[in-house]
Amino acid sequence: MPDRGPGPWGEADQRAEADQRVGLSELLARATDRVPLDGAPGKSGAEMERLMIDGQPYVLKRLDLARDWTLRASGCLPGPPLVLWQRGILDRLPGCINQPIVAVAGYAPASTRPSGGCLLLMRDVSPWLVPATDAAITEGQHTRFLRHMAELHAAFWGCGRECDVVPAMHRYLELSPWLAKAELAIGSEHLVPSLVAKGWPLLADVAPAAAAVVTPLAYDPSPLVAALDATPHTLVHSNWKLDNLGTDESGRTILLDWEQPGRGAALSDLTWYLAINCRRLPQSKEASIEYYRESLEAQGIETGPWWERQLALCLLGALVQFGWEKALGGYDEELAWWEAKSIQAAPLLVS
């Protein structure tokens, strides 16, 4: 598919969107047994529905700007999955990744939801997803996730502007104090923004050394983004949490929730994975980092010139994203580890 540039609303994109809407409408016209999907692990505000098409199970997901705080935080108002779909990026994923989206369309002009968002039709892969429990995953599944993450990054290494979907600045502001303030201002009652609002002030009390480095960046991540811009980039998914992952019958990694993707530092995906899944990982952070590095090098990517700098910055960046969440758990071994990494990385920031 030709490069249409970073803007999703060019003339060619509008034609593609119209074609996709017809395709999705035709699929939905054949749907039966439509049931709202309540109780799913997602906390974004998106609506989901399970249905059958030609005897096969699917899930319809509605990303609605009026309901979905993650869509508002992304700044990509049509919906990042729609932009990925229009640009053909999902078709370029390596064979180790199973992304179940089969059709995407923006809301029709006459829609009752004209503010922004899109519709996704996905194969129902729920039988193969990681169970939503507190139990640790197996080491085999963990290392497979890391290996496939590295293969995804290698496939898009040095990618161009077609991968500019959600900017790095927006990704680091997604869970910031600004998010909490914005959601409060519109009367949002979503759980995550309310926890973000509670957690950030708490960080200064439980980990003042970490807060001194991280809290200013949570308000203005531009020094971090500028420092990372000087390191290699690729396509990042930006939400490798276990709720979005699974392993299908062929051993491929199921990867859901393409709602914060963009061009960025590969290790930002790795450090997000280590931060958000910390209680369920069967391997130390250090061993996980080394395994990912070996996997990336096995794909032909030389890591020597840039690795230590990008790793340090991305470890800092993970606490910029999750300082509020770590603070809610109190000062423990987990927070102490991230605090030390953040203090070590601070001299690398661009002033």
Side-chain angles (χ1 to χ4, degrees):
M1 182 173 288
D3 177 9
R4 301 190 181 99
W9 293 115
E11 193 173 313
D13 282 333
Q14 291 178 358
R15 289 196 299 269
E17 180 197 341
D19 293 341
Q20 291 156 14
R21 189 180 300 122
V22 171
L24 180 59
S25 298
E26 290 176 350
L27 287 168
L28 293 180
R30 304 203 303 267
T32 60
D33 303 317
R34 300 179 67 157
V35 179
L37 188 57
D38 299 321
K43 302 177 180 67
S44 69
E47 297 176 317
M48 290 192 284
E49 182 181 359
R50 181 171 282 122
L51 45 86
M52 301 291 290
I53 300 176
D54 301 334
Q56 297 298 315
Y58 289 84
V59 172
L60 181 67
K61 186 173 185 178
R62 297 177 176 87
L63 301 182
D64 179 0
L65 189 64
R67 296 176 54 90
D68 192 323
W69 67 267
T70 63
L71 183 56
R72 292 192 289 269
S74 76
C76 182
L77 305 189
L82 177 61
V83 179
L84 290 175
W85 187 264
Q86 290 171 338
R87 297 182 186 173
I89 294 173
L90 296 178
D91 292 333
R92 294 168 50 192
L93 299 179
C96 64
I97 300 296
N98 176 350
Q99 77 77 23
I101 299 172
V102 298
V104 188
Y107 288 120
S111 170
T112 57
R113 297 173 176 175
S115 59
C118 59
L119 299 169
L120 316 178
L121 184 66
M122 304 176 285
R123 298 185 306 278
D124 184 358
V125 293
S126 55
W128 300 281
L129 296 179
V130 173
T133 69
D134 294 328
I137 61 174
T138 68
E139 187 168 341
Q141 188 170 48
H142 166 67
T143 53
R144 185 185 297 111
F145 288 156
L146 294 178
R147 187 169 65 252
H148 290 173
M149 180 191 293
E151 291 183 35
L152 171 61
H153 292 157
F156 287 87
W157 203 256
C159 61
R161 65 194 185 102
E162 78 279 1
C163 290
D164 280 327
V165 180
V166 177
M169 183 72 75
H170 291 208
R171 295 196 295 272
Y172 281 112
L173 286 170
E174 181 193 5
L175 299 170
S176 72
W178 294 119
L179 165 82
K181 294 176 186 293
E183 291 298 306
L184 178 64
I186 63 172
S188 168
E189 297 180 353
H190 289 298
L191 175 62
V192 171
S194 68
L195 292 176
V196 170
K198 180 180 178 182
W200 276 117
L202 190 60
L203 184 64
D205 295 330
V206 300
V213 175
V214 169
T215 302
L217 293 171
Y219 279 98
D220 177 13
S222 57
L224 174 63
V225 172
L228 283 170
D229 278 347
T231 67
H233 54 264
T234 185
L235 174 69
V236 292
H237 174 271
S238 300
N239 198 355
W240 281 74
K241 67 177 180 179
L242 294 183
D243 287 344
N244 293 331
L245 300 172
T247 303
D248 69 16
E249 293 173 314
S250 300
R252 297 180 298 165
T253 289
I254 296 168
L255 190 53
L256 304 177
D257 198 1
W258 291 83
E259 290 158 33
Q260 290 287 335
R263 186 171 174 264
L267 300 186
S268 65
D269 264 347
L270 174 63
T271 54
W272 173 287
Y273 174 88
L274 296 177
I276 198 169
N277 302 315
C278 62
R279 310 296 180 187
R280 300 186 61 186
L281 300 183
Q283 193 178 46
S284 71
K285 295 179 181 66
E286 292 81 3
S288 301
I289 290 167
E290 186 57 31
Y291 185 84
Y292 168 88
R293 184 176 189 176
E294 292 171 357
S295 300
L296 192 62
E297 290 178 340
Q299 296 297 311
I301 304 298
E302 183 182 3
T303 64
W306 57 270
W307 177 268
E308 295 299 335
R309 184 178 185 85
Q310 188 178 107
L311 176 61
L313 289 167
C314 286
L315 288 170
L316 169 58
L319 199 59
V320 172
Q321 293 166 315
F322 288 110
W324 63 274
E325 189 265 347
K326 303 301 180 187
L328 291 173
Y331 193 80
D332 56 7
E333 184 178 353
E334 172 70 11
L335 179 51
W337 191 91
W338 290 101
E339 179 180 57
K341 298 300 183 183
S342 298
I343 293 170
Q344 291 169 13
L348 300 176
L349 295 172
V350 174
S351 59

